[in-house]
Each structure stands twice: as C-alpha cells, then as structure tokens.
Amino acid sequence: HLSIRRQRQMCIRDRSYASEAISRIEKDSTCCVSDLLRDTRADAMATFAAIRIQQHRFQEAEMLLQLAHDAHTQAGDMEQIVVDLVLLSDVELYSGNHEAATYMLLEAENILKDECDPSRHARRDKLKSAIHQRLLEGFGEGANFRAGACHN
C-alpha cells in the first residue's frame, strides 16, 4: 500500500521534472540530456530501494540508496538527499544499527533546516514529520518501527 502511494507520488513529481527538462532544453539546446537521465535514474533507484526495504532485502536497498544518494549529491538535489538519508536510516534501523540510523536522521533534519527552502521544497514539512516519527517510533520504548512512514 505505502509503496504504491510512493510510486504515485514519484510519477506526479516526475511529470513536473519532465516539463522542467523540456523547458531547459528549449532554452538551451546545449543542455546535457545525460544530466536529466542521471537524475531520473537516481530517483528510480531510490524508489526501487524503498520497495526492497518493504521486502526486507536490506543489502540491495542499501546499495541502491548509496548510488542514488551519490547521484543526488552530485546534482545538488537537497530534498531528494533527505529522502535518501531517511530511507538509509530505515535500512540501518532494521539492521540493528540504531546509532547510524540516528545519525542519518539528524543529518537529514539538518539539511532540511539549513538547505531546503520551504518555498522551493514542497515536501519539506512531510519529510520533517517523517524524520520525527522515525526518531520516536524507532527508538521509543516498545516502539514498533516500520519502513515507509515517509511515504504516507
């Protein structure tokens, strides 16, 4: 259920990316299409990683997320970097590495606070809520942590 909702959100977001890409190409014919393909590929890897987390295939999810995170970092897509970090924290938490999960969530929170302008990053509040929910659920007494809370 949550992965289907996430896929739908990604499709809606990708539509706006496609129209932005077309505008960039129309304005600047030297615009590098490979950059656009790299960004789309990185977004797809993050989506597949979220599915792998739901399937409890954590090694595959971590590999996909590391690749996506590297590409998003190179592209400077701060909002998507936050998503990557939140999903990586899911992998770490499920793997029993609470310290690494906490570190990633706090890093994601700092990026949201310092580098994601609310007027440009529509999902900022939702991501902030997902981070806080994970911190409470993942580390609270008797909490039943579940992946995909970010995709509600």
Side-chain angles (χ1 to χ4, degrees):
H1 171 75
L2 295 174
S3 63
I4 292 170
R5 183 179 293 169
R6 172 72 174 144
Q7 288 171 340
R8 186 173 55 241
Q9 289 170 342
M10 293 288 286
C11 288
I12 291 167
R13 190 189 70 192
D14 288 346
R15 273 187 243 142
S16 67
Y17 284 166
S19 50
E20 178 185 322
I22 290 168
S23 296
R24 283 176 48 195
I25 291 170
E26 287 173 349
K27 289 178 187 174
D28 181 7
S29 60
T30 63
C31 177
C32 187
V33 176
S34 66
D35 288 345
L36 301 172
L37 293 174
R38 182 188 64 230
D39 293 347
T40 302
R41 182 173 174 242
D43 291 346
M45 284 188 284
T47 301
F48 289 130
I51 293 167
R52 295 296 184 266
I53 291 170
Q54 293 292 323
Q55 297 169 337
H56 296 268
R57 294 163 64 178
F58 303 120
Q59 276 188 315
E60 292 174 45
E62 184 175 20
M63 180 193 68
L64 288 166
L65 285 168
Q66 287 296 342
L67 292 170
H69 181 72
D70 291 345
H72 290 130
T73 300
Q74 186 177 8
D77 187 345
M78 302 313 288
E79 185 178 62
Q80 196 59 41
I81 290 170
V82 171
V83 172
D84 297 339
L85 288 169
V86 169
L87 291 173
L88 279 165
S89 77
D90 289 351
V91 171
E92 293 296 341
L93 189 59
Y94 270 123
S95 300
N97 192 346
H98 295 251
E99 188 175 316
T102 301
Y103 174 80
M104 288 178 188
L105 289 170
L106 294 175
E107 184 179 349
E109 186 176 48
N110 286 333
I111 291 170
L112 272 181
K113 183 176 67 170
D114 298 337
E115 301 184 42
C116 290
D117 179 5
S119 65
R120 291 189 55 230
H121 297 92
R123 298 184 298 168
R124 185 176 185 270
D125 290 337
K126 190 173 246 186
L127 288 168
K128 185 177 178 181
S129 173
I131 290 167
H132 290 147
Q133 181 179 1
R134 278 169 168 71
L135 287 169
L136 290 174
E137 288 183 4
F139 308 108
E141 193 171 292
N144 181 16
F145 184 84
R146 63 187 196 288
C150 164
H151 311 302
N152 288 333

